[in-house]
Amino acid sequence: DRLNAAGSTDINRALLEAVGMAEESRPTYVIFLTDGLPTVGELDSQKILDNLSVVAQPNLRLFSFGVGYDVDTFLLDSLSQAYRGASTYVLPGDRLDEVLSDFYTKVSTPVLTDLQLDFGKLAVYDLYPQPLPDLFAGSQIILVGRYRQPGTTTITLSGEVNGEPQLFRYADQEFPASNRDVSGSLAAIPRLWATRKVGFLLNQVRLQGPDPETIDQ
């Protein structure tokens, strides 16, 4: 009853206050709704991310909702990715209550949490998204990346369901030597990976500033 809307946006403190109430003993979902950019307190997006990383527990999942046009999408996407959540953007005129209702329906039925992928002897790099978000009913996760040498390997997917470890093995997965060896829907994978990579680099430039190596990439 003593809270009043004063028109300022202290994203850093809001996140630290919320995460500070989280418990280590059970999964914690933080829903972060904002209609703008940080205007008071800590204003630097990278420092906000750094501050949160100091206090966040491994069981934290953060889901960002940006409302309106004047939101820091780079910060929200970085927060959601770092803490295995997702970002949703609501335009003026959209029904926020419907968006949140759909979100709650999805996260109330987790299928697999704390996902990890083991590619065996296959050397992989530049994987996106990283870390992997949780998997919920009716949703999918698309992981794109690169590998150094072609071959066949067994991929192992591990995670938890209601606190119980689960393991899934996919044997004899083929990784061709060249993009020319794939066809159909697989032919779009290189462009999809490149789009994710460029998006990641642009986000790094936005958060940490430009440097020659990132610009060259």
Side-chain angles (χ1 to χ4, degrees):
D1 291 339
R2 292 176 293 150
L3 292 176
N4 295 289
S8 58
T9 304
D10 192 342
I11 288 178
N12 183 72
R13 184 179 176 187
L15 291 173
L16 294 180
E17 291 274 357
V19 172
M21 294 186 286
E23 300 177 6
E24 297 183 42
S25 59
R26 59 180 179 176
T28 299
Y29 289 179
V30 171
I31 304 175
F32 175 45
L33 300 97
T34 180
D35 65 348
L37 306 166
T39 58
V40 296
E42 181 56 68
L43 305 182
D44 184 86
S45 296
Q46 185 60 55
K47 290 183 179 178
I48 293 175
L49 290 167
D50 293 341
N51 292 341
L52 188 59
S53 68
V54 174
V55 298
Q57 301 292 338
N59 61 330
L60 174 68
R61 300 293 184 267
L62 193 149
F63 297 84
S64 301
F65 288 83
V67 183
Y69 298 116
D70 189 27
V71 294
D72 189 342
T73 57
F74 296 98
L75 175 59
L76 298 192
D77 289 345
S78 298
L79 286 167
S80 299
Q81 180 175 329
Y83 299 102
R84 301 174 184 257
S87 299
T88 302
Y89 296 100
V90 184
L91 297 178
D94 291 348
R95 291 291 301 272
L96 182 58
D97 57 340
E98 294 180 358
V99 173
L100 289 173
S101 177
D102 292 341
F103 160 77
Y104 178 77
T105 300
K106 181 180 76 171
V107 300
S108 62
T109 51
V111 176
L112 197 65
T113 62
D114 295 323
L115 276 67
Q116 300 289 336
L117 273 176
D118 185 344
F119 290 86
K121 297 181 180 180
L122 191 74
V124 299
Y125 63 104
D126 272 351
L127 301 179
Y128 303 100
Q130 200 64 246
L132 288 172
D134 293 343
L135 182 63
F136 299 98
S139 65
Q140 63 179 354
I141 297 172
I142 298 177
L143 177 71
V144 292
R146 305 184 76 180
Y147 52 93
R148 302 191 183 281
Q149 297 292 333
T152 301
T153 188
T154 295
I155 296 179
T156 303
L157 170 65
S158 61
E160 291 187 357
V161 178
N162 295 325
E164 296 294 326
Q166 301 289 327
L167 204 65
F168 306 89
R169 289 187 174 89
Y170 304 92
D172 301 326
Q173 300 298 307
E174 295 184 11
F175 290 79
S178 168
N179 294 336
R180 293 186 294 272
D181 297 338
V182 300
S183 59
S185 61
L186 296 180
I189 291 179
R191 181 178 294 272
L192 178 60
W193 171 85
T195 301
R196 296 283 182 89
K197 175 70 172 183
V198 170
F200 169 79
L201 292 173
L202 288 174
N203 204 19
Q204 294 300 106
V205 170
R206 169 63 176 79
L207 292 172
Q208 301 177 4
D211 63 82
E213 181 179 355
T214 304
I215 296 300
D216 287 345
Q217 288 192 65

